[in-house]
Short mmCIF file of all heavy atoms in Angstrom, two decimals:
data_model
loop_
_atom_site.label_atom_id
_atom_site.label_comp_id
_atom_site.label_asym_id
_atom_site.label_seq_id
_atom_site.Cartn_x
_atom_site.Cartn_y
_atom_site.Cartn_z
N ARG A 1 -14.53 -19.70 8.47
CA ARG A 1 -13.11 -20.35 8.50
C ARG A 1 -12.24 -19.83 7.36
O ARG A 1 -11.14 -19.42 7.56
CB ARG A 1 -13.32 -21.79 8.28
CG ARG A 1 -13.63 -22.58 9.51
CD ARG A 1 -13.50 -24.07 9.42
NE ARG A 1 -14.29 -24.64 10.44
CZ ARG A 1 -15.05 -25.71 10.20
NH1 ARG A 1 -15.33 -26.24 8.97
NH2 ARG A 1 -15.71 -26.33 11.17
N THR A 2 -12.85 -19.65 6.19
CA THR A 2 -12.07 -19.17 5.15
C THR A 2 -11.64 -17.63 5.33
O THR A 2 -10.49 -17.31 5.18
CB THR A 2 -12.97 -19.07 3.74
OG1 THR A 2 -13.34 -20.33 3.52
CG2 THR A 2 -12.14 -18.53 2.59
N LEU A 3 -12.44 -16.83 5.92
CA LEU A 3 -12.24 -15.51 6.27
C LEU A 3 -11.09 -15.35 7.34
O LEU A 3 -10.12 -14.77 7.27
CB LEU A 3 -13.36 -14.69 6.75
CG LEU A 3 -14.48 -14.28 5.53
CD1 LEU A 3 -15.69 -13.68 6.28
CD2 LEU A 3 -13.81 -13.40 4.63
N ASP A 4 -11.22 -16.34 8.35
CA ASP A 4 -10.12 -16.37 9.48
C ASP A 4 -8.90 -16.67 8.72
O ASP A 4 -7.90 -16.28 9.28
CB ASP A 4 -10.60 -17.36 10.50
CG ASP A 4 -11.78 -16.82 11.40
OD1 ASP A 4 -11.90 -15.64 11.37
OD2 ASP A 4 -12.33 -17.61 12.08
N GLU A 5 -8.90 -17.69 7.86
CA GLU A 5 -7.65 -18.17 7.22
C GLU A 5 -7.01 -16.96 6.43
O GLU A 5 -5.84 -16.65 6.46
CB GLU A 5 -7.89 -19.39 6.30
CG GLU A 5 -8.09 -20.62 7.19
CD GLU A 5 -8.40 -21.79 6.22
OE1 GLU A 5 -8.22 -21.77 5.05
OE2 GLU A 5 -8.80 -22.86 6.77
N MET A 6 -7.79 -16.18 5.71
CA MET A 6 -7.44 -15.23 4.86
C MET A 6 -7.02 -14.03 5.64
O MET A 6 -5.97 -13.37 5.34
CB MET A 6 -8.56 -14.80 3.79
CG MET A 6 -8.92 -15.84 2.83
SD MET A 6 -10.29 -15.41 1.88
CE MET A 6 -9.83 -13.92 1.04
N PHE A 7 -7.68 -13.59 6.61
CA PHE A 7 -7.53 -12.36 7.42
C PHE A 7 -7.04 -12.52 8.85
O PHE A 7 -6.71 -11.53 9.54
CB PHE A 7 -8.73 -11.51 7.35
CG PHE A 7 -9.11 -11.07 5.95
CD1 PHE A 7 -10.30 -11.76 5.40
CD2 PHE A 7 -8.36 -10.35 5.19
CE1 PHE A 7 -10.74 -11.46 4.10
CE2 PHE A 7 -8.85 -10.00 3.86
CZ PHE A 7 -9.99 -10.57 3.34
N GLY A 8 -6.93 -13.75 9.23
CA GLY A 8 -6.45 -13.98 10.67
C GLY A 8 -5.08 -13.43 10.93
O GLY A 8 -4.87 -12.84 11.96
N LYS A 9 -4.12 -13.70 9.98
CA LYS A 9 -2.78 -13.16 10.21
C LYS A 9 -2.76 -11.67 10.21
O LYS A 9 -2.10 -10.97 10.96
CB LYS A 9 -1.89 -13.68 9.16
CG LYS A 9 -1.65 -15.15 9.26
CD LYS A 9 -0.67 -15.72 8.23
CE LYS A 9 -0.52 -17.28 8.39
NZ LYS A 9 0.29 -17.83 7.28
N GLN A 10 -3.53 -11.07 9.25
CA GLN A 10 -3.57 -9.55 9.16
C GLN A 10 -4.19 -9.02 10.44
O GLN A 10 -3.74 -7.93 11.02
CB GLN A 10 -4.40 -9.05 8.01
CG GLN A 10 -3.72 -9.24 6.68
CD GLN A 10 -3.89 -10.63 6.09
OE1 GLN A 10 -4.48 -11.58 6.62
NE2 GLN A 10 -3.19 -10.79 4.89
N ARG A 11 -5.25 -9.61 10.95
CA ARG A 11 -5.88 -9.14 12.19
C ARG A 11 -4.87 -9.27 13.45
O ARG A 11 -4.74 -8.39 14.20
CB ARG A 11 -7.11 -10.08 12.50
CG ARG A 11 -8.25 -9.71 11.65
CD ARG A 11 -9.43 -10.62 12.06
NE ARG A 11 -10.54 -10.41 11.15
CZ ARG A 11 -11.51 -11.31 10.85
NH1 ARG A 11 -11.52 -12.37 11.41
NH2 ARG A 11 -12.34 -11.00 9.95
N ALA A 12 -4.10 -10.34 13.42
CA ALA A 12 -3.11 -10.52 14.50
C ALA A 12 -2.06 -9.46 14.32
O ALA A 12 -1.56 -8.95 15.38
CB ALA A 12 -2.55 -11.89 14.47
N LEU A 13 -1.66 -9.18 13.17
CA LEU A 13 -0.59 -8.15 12.91
C LEU A 13 -1.10 -6.79 13.25
O LEU A 13 -0.42 -6.04 14.02
CB LEU A 13 -0.22 -8.17 11.51
CG LEU A 13 0.88 -7.21 11.06
CD1 LEU A 13 2.24 -7.46 11.82
CD2 LEU A 13 1.22 -7.24 9.57
N ILE A 14 -2.33 -6.49 12.94
CA ILE A 14 -2.97 -5.29 13.22
C ILE A 14 -3.03 -5.10 14.96
O ILE A 14 -2.68 -4.09 15.47
CB ILE A 14 -4.33 -4.89 12.64
CG1 ILE A 14 -4.14 -4.79 11.22
CG2 ILE A 14 -5.03 -3.91 13.33
CD1 ILE A 14 -5.40 -4.85 10.37
N ALA A 15 -3.45 -6.29 15.47
CA ALA A 15 -3.58 -6.23 16.91
C ALA A 15 -2.20 -6.02 17.55
O ALA A 15 -2.08 -5.12 18.62
CB ALA A 15 -4.11 -7.48 17.35
N GLU A 16 -1.19 -6.50 17.09
CA GLU A 16 0.18 -6.41 17.63
C GLU A 16 0.73 -4.84 17.34
O GLU A 16 1.17 -4.33 18.30
CB GLU A 16 1.20 -7.42 16.86
CG GLU A 16 2.60 -7.21 17.39
CD GLU A 16 2.74 -7.61 18.85
OE1 GLU A 16 1.96 -8.45 19.31
OE2 GLU A 16 3.66 -7.11 19.49
N GLN A 17 0.44 -4.34 16.16
CA GLN A 17 0.79 -2.99 15.87
C GLN A 17 -0.04 -1.99 16.84
O GLN A 17 0.52 -1.09 17.42
CB GLN A 17 0.44 -2.53 14.48
CG GLN A 17 1.29 -3.43 13.44
CD GLN A 17 2.83 -3.09 13.67
OE1 GLN A 17 3.16 -2.10 14.02
NE2 GLN A 17 3.69 -4.04 13.53
N ASP A 18 -1.30 -2.26 17.11
CA ASP A 18 -2.16 -1.48 17.99
C ASP A 18 -1.48 -1.55 19.42
O ASP A 18 -1.46 -0.52 20.13
CB ASP A 18 -3.54 -1.95 18.06
CG ASP A 18 -4.33 -1.58 16.88
OD1 ASP A 18 -3.88 -0.73 16.10
OD2 ASP A 18 -5.45 -2.15 16.65
N LYS A 19 -0.94 -2.65 19.76
CA LYS A 19 -0.39 -2.78 21.14
C LYS A 19 0.98 -2.12 21.25
O LYS A 19 1.12 -1.35 22.20
CB LYS A 19 -0.11 -4.39 21.42
CG LYS A 19 0.49 -4.58 22.78
CD LYS A 19 0.82 -6.10 22.92
CE LYS A 19 1.43 -6.39 24.25
NZ LYS A 19 1.90 -7.74 24.40
N LYS A 20 1.80 -2.14 20.15
CA LYS A 20 2.95 -1.26 20.12
C LYS A 20 2.62 0.19 20.18
O LYS A 20 3.33 1.00 20.90
CB LYS A 20 3.81 -1.65 18.87
CG LYS A 20 4.44 -3.01 18.89
CD LYS A 20 5.23 -3.30 17.65
CE LYS A 20 5.87 -4.67 17.69
NZ LYS A 20 6.57 -4.96 16.58
N ILE A 21 1.59 0.62 19.32
CA ILE A 21 1.24 1.96 19.39
C ILE A 21 0.75 2.47 20.71
O ILE A 21 1.12 3.61 21.24
CB ILE A 21 0.26 2.34 18.23
CG1 ILE A 21 0.82 2.21 16.94
CG2 ILE A 21 -0.49 3.70 18.51
CD1 ILE A 21 -0.24 2.17 15.73
N ALA A 22 0.08 1.63 21.44
CA ALA A 22 -0.43 1.93 22.68
C ALA A 22 0.69 2.06 23.73
O ALA A 22 0.77 3.11 24.66
CB ALA A 22 -1.38 0.93 23.17
N GLU A 23 1.66 1.21 23.62
CA GLU A 23 2.89 1.25 24.48
C GLU A 23 3.62 2.56 24.27
O GLU A 23 4.13 3.23 25.17
CB GLU A 23 3.75 0.12 24.34
CG GLU A 23 3.09 -1.29 24.77
CD GLU A 23 3.92 -2.49 24.38
OE1 GLU A 23 4.95 -2.31 23.62
OE2 GLU A 23 3.50 -3.58 24.89
N LYS A 24 3.79 2.95 22.93
CA LYS A 24 4.51 4.16 22.56
C LYS A 24 3.73 5.47 23.18
O LYS A 24 4.28 6.36 23.68
CB LYS A 24 4.75 4.29 21.06
CG LYS A 24 5.84 3.31 20.59
CD LYS A 24 6.00 3.46 19.12
CE LYS A 24 7.06 2.46 18.63
NZ LYS A 24 7.30 2.51 17.28
N ASP A 25 2.32 5.31 22.97
CA ASP A 25 1.62 6.46 23.62
C ASP A 25 1.63 6.60 25.04
O ASP A 25 1.86 7.69 25.70
CB ASP A 25 0.06 6.25 23.14
CG ASP A 25 -0.21 6.44 21.71
OD1 ASP A 25 0.66 7.09 20.99
OD2 ASP A 25 -1.28 6.17 21.27
N LYS A 26 1.73 5.42 25.64
CA LYS A 26 1.97 5.38 27.15
C LYS A 26 3.28 6.04 27.47
O LYS A 26 3.35 6.91 28.37
CB LYS A 26 1.87 4.04 27.72
CG LYS A 26 1.98 4.04 29.17
CD LYS A 26 1.82 2.55 29.74
CE LYS A 26 2.18 2.56 31.17
NZ LYS A 26 2.09 1.13 31.75
#
């Protein structure tokens, strides 16, 4: 839970950036 609280937002942000990069690659 602590790790999810600490890094959950960063993980979501990274996932969003990965999605944007994939769209640009496409």
Side-chain angles (χ1 to χ4, degrees):
R1 279 191 197 131
T2 301
L3 287 174
D4 284 344
E5 287 175 12
M6 291 173 59
F7 300 109
K9 290 179 184 177
Q10 286 83 1
R11 287 180 185 154
L13 181 62
I14 290 169
E16 183 64 28
Q17 294 299 321
D18 286 346
K19 183 179 175 183
K20 287 179 182 179
I21 290 170
E23 290 170 359
K24 288 180 181 180
D25 285 347
K26 181 180 176 184

